[in-house]
Structure formats: C-alpha cells, structure tokens
C-alpha cells in the first residue's frame, strides 16, 4: 500500500510472508515517515496485548513538525472491523485491503494513517460485538514525549555586539 499522511508525506506498507515452525506468518514494514527513530518501531502487540489474537498490530511514528502515525497489521478475523481513536478524533473504522494471494495467509491488511497518536483500539466482529478494546493512552503519552525530543529547538535571538 502506498498513500500520503495528513501532512502530505508519502509512505508505503510492505508485506512479506515466511514459514516459521511449520506455520506461515506475515510481516509488515512501514517506510516513509522520516528518520524519527521510531520508524519500524517494535510491534506494540508483542507480548500479552489483548488485540493480538484478532489483530496483531504495529505502530510507526513520524516525529517531525507534527506527530503522525501509522497503525497497521493483519486483521485475522473474517468480517471483523478495527476502529481507532486519537486524542482529537472519535473511534473510526480503519482501512482494510486484501492481502495478495502470493503471501498465502488469511485475513486483510488493516491500517490507519493518523495525525497524532492512537489512544484507543477496538476490534468488533461482523455483528458489531466488541471482541477487544485496548486503551493506548499511556503508550500515546510515551510516544509523544519521545517525539518532543525531536522537536527542533527554538532559535535564540543573537546578541548584538
């Protein structure tokens, strides 16, 4: 998938699959948000995250003039929907695209391009029943603090001499 962020920066989400321990797995990588240091950050779903069962996801953050992020992953449950909220936007369904047949994995690529950072993630089944809800407020705060370190220092007036 190739698209633009709200600030007009192009990005790409790449997918590949391989077999590990006899099971085919898909991996994703997002490129194009800039040299933030969080580009291709550690998947947030590693470990016991509740959404992992339905939607193992990754968050990539761009820390330039304004913080932007891409939340993406494999939506495994047929007919399910992923919704994401930020501090300034309500829960909104994210984009889904079919995975290429060549990857030989089930599910879809689900992704959201956000101005800011996600604060909540919800996965609902085909009937609209909530399967899982994750509060991402603490993670958004950590990422925001990290990005503040990337803010360019204000220029200081030079002293006349």
């Amino acid at each position: 998938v190739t698209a633009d962020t709200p600030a007009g920066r192009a990005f790409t989400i790449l997918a590949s699959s391989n077999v590990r321990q006899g099971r085919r797995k898909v991996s994703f990588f997002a490129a194009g948000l800039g040299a933030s240091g969080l580009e291709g950050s550690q998947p947030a779903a590693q470990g016991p995250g509740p959404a992992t069962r339905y939607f193992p996801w990754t968050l990539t953050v761009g820390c330039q003039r304004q913080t932007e992020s891409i939340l993406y992953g494999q939506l495994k449950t047929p007919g399910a929907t992923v919704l994401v909220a930020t501090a300034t936007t309500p829960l909104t369904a994210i984009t889904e695209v079919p995975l290429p047949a060549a990857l030989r994995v089930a599910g879809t690529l689900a992704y959201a391009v956000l101005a800011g950072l996600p604060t909540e993630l919800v996965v609902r089944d085909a009937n609209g029943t909530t399967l899982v809800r994750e509060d991402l407020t603490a993670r958004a705060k950590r990422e925001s603090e990290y990005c503040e370190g990337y803010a360019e220092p204000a220029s200081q007036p030079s002293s006349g001499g």
Side-chain angles (χ1 to χ4, degrees):
V1 170
T2 299
D4 291 329
T5 68
R9 290 189 295 230
F11 72 90
T12 301
I13 300 174
L14 305 170
S16 65
S17 69
N18 58 36
V19 177
R20 288 187 212 152
Q21 299 176 343
R23 300 184 78 189
R24 184 163 293 277
K25 303 228 177 199
V26 65
S27 300
F28 298 101
F29 177 77
L33 285 186
S36 68
L38 291 178
E39 185 86 46
S41 62
Q42 176 181 355
Q46 284 187 343
T52 303
R53 178 175 174 191
Y54 309 103
F55 179 59
W57 55 274
T58 300
L59 179 66
T60 298
V61 179
C63 299
Q64 295 179 349
R65 285 187 206 122
Q66 68 181 51
T67 301
E68 295 180 306
S69 60
I70 305 170
L71 184 135
Y72 56 96
Q74 178 188 14
L75 181 55
K76 296 179 175 184
T77 307
T81 303
V82 178
L83 300 102
V84 176
T86 69
T88 59
T89 60
L91 279 172
T92 305
I94 68 176
T95 303
E96 293 180 41
V97 295
L99 291 169
L103 292 176
R104 295 184 287 181
V105 292
T108 59
L109 165 62
Y111 70 96
V113 183
L114 307 166
L117 296 159
T119 56
E120 183 178 16
L121 180 139
V122 175
V123 180
R124 293 186 180 147
D125 69 13
N127 297 320
T129 303
T130 298
L131 299 171
V132 67
R133 178 181 306 270
E134 278 192 53
D135 182 349
L136 304 177
T137 306
R139 181 179 172 98
K141 184 175 190 242
R142 282 193 313 272
E143 302 287 7
S144 181
E145 289 170 353
Y146 182 89
C147 282
E148 287 171 7
Y150 271 87
E152 294 189 30
S155 56
Q156 300 293 321
S158 59
S159 53

